[in-house]
Amino acid sequence: MKYSLPKSIATLAEQVVRENTAAGRLIATAESCTGGMVAAAITEVPGSSAVLHAGFVTYSNEAKTKILKVSDELIDTFGAVSIAVVWAMAQGALKVSNADIAVAISGIAGPDGGTEQKPVGTVVFAVAERGQDPEQVVADKVQFGSDKSRADIRVAATLHALNLLLPTQP
C-alpha cells in the first residue's frame, strides 16, 4: 500500500522543506491531535533530513509532561487544548532537541470530546524559536468547525501548522 498525502499538504510540505533548508533552520514538531501528521508530511519530501530534527507525538497528558516537560499544573489549570499548554509544548520541544523552530498542536478532532467552551474542531497552535524571548507567545486558536470530520480537522490542522513553519519574509 502506497501512502499518499493530500496534494495541498504535499505541496506545502515541499515549500516548508525548501524554505527552511534555504534558511538553514532545523524543525521540531510537538503534536497531539495531528498524531504526527506534520512530521510525516515533512518526511515525505526528499531532502527533509536537512530540516526535520525531531517529531514528538505527545497525545496523552502524561507524554506532554514526561517528554516535553509541560507542567501538570498548567494542564490542570488550562486544559491540554490551550494556548498555555501548546506554548509549553513548543518550548519543551526546543529544549529537548537541537531545533531552531518548533511548532506545537493540540486540539479536539472529534467526533466526541468537545465541550461548550472547547467544541469539536478547536485546535491551538504555538511556535517557538530558539533565541526568542520565551515571554513572547506566538500562538493561535482556530475553530475548524464541529461539522467537519475527524480526518478533515486533522488535515486542516496539519496545513495550518505547516504554514506556521514557513520562514517569515523580511
Side-chain angles (χ1 to χ4, degrees), residues 4-161:
S4 180
L5 294 169
K7 185 162 180 53
S8 57
I9 289 178
T11 301
L12 190 52
E14 288 172 2
Q15 183 181 356
V16 166
V17 169
R18 183 176 59 252
E19 291 186 19
N20 281 284
T21 299
R25 295 194 325 176
L26 292 177
I27 295 169
T29 64
E31 302 181 64
S32 187
C33 68
T34 50
M37 285 178 69
V38 178
I42 293 168
T43 61
E44 282 287 309
V45 179
S48 60
S49 59
V51 296
L52 184 63
H53 178 72
F56 304 96
V57 177
T58 54
Y59 204 73
S60 70
N61 290 345
E62 180 182 8
K64 289 172 183 63
T65 60
K66 288 194 176 187
I67 297 168
L68 299 176
K69 310 304 181 205
V70 176
S71 76
D72 285 320
E73 294 80 22
L74 203 59
I75 294 171
D76 292 344
T77 302
F78 298 102
V81 181
S82 65
I83 296 294
V85 168
V86 290
W87 181 244
M89 289 169 64
Q91 290 293 329
L94 283 183
K95 286 178 185 158
V96 299
S97 74
N98 287 325
D100 300 301
I101 185 169
V103 66
I105 308 107
S106 185
I108 305 163
D112 53 11
T115 65
E116 191 172 315
Q117 295 80 21
K118 296 177 187 174
V120 169
T122 303
V123 184
V124 288
F125 303 84
V127 177
E129 293 190 52
R130 192 164 303 285
Q132 176 186 51
D133 179 355
E135 298 299 313
Q136 181 185 354
V137 177
V138 179
D140 200 6
K141 178 179 178 181
V142 179
Q143 175 47 253
F144 290 111
S146 58
D147 59 332
K148 300 240 185 323
S149 73
R150 180 178 181 82
D152 288 342
I153 292 166
R154 293 178 73 229
V155 165
T158 297
L159 286 166
H160 192 83

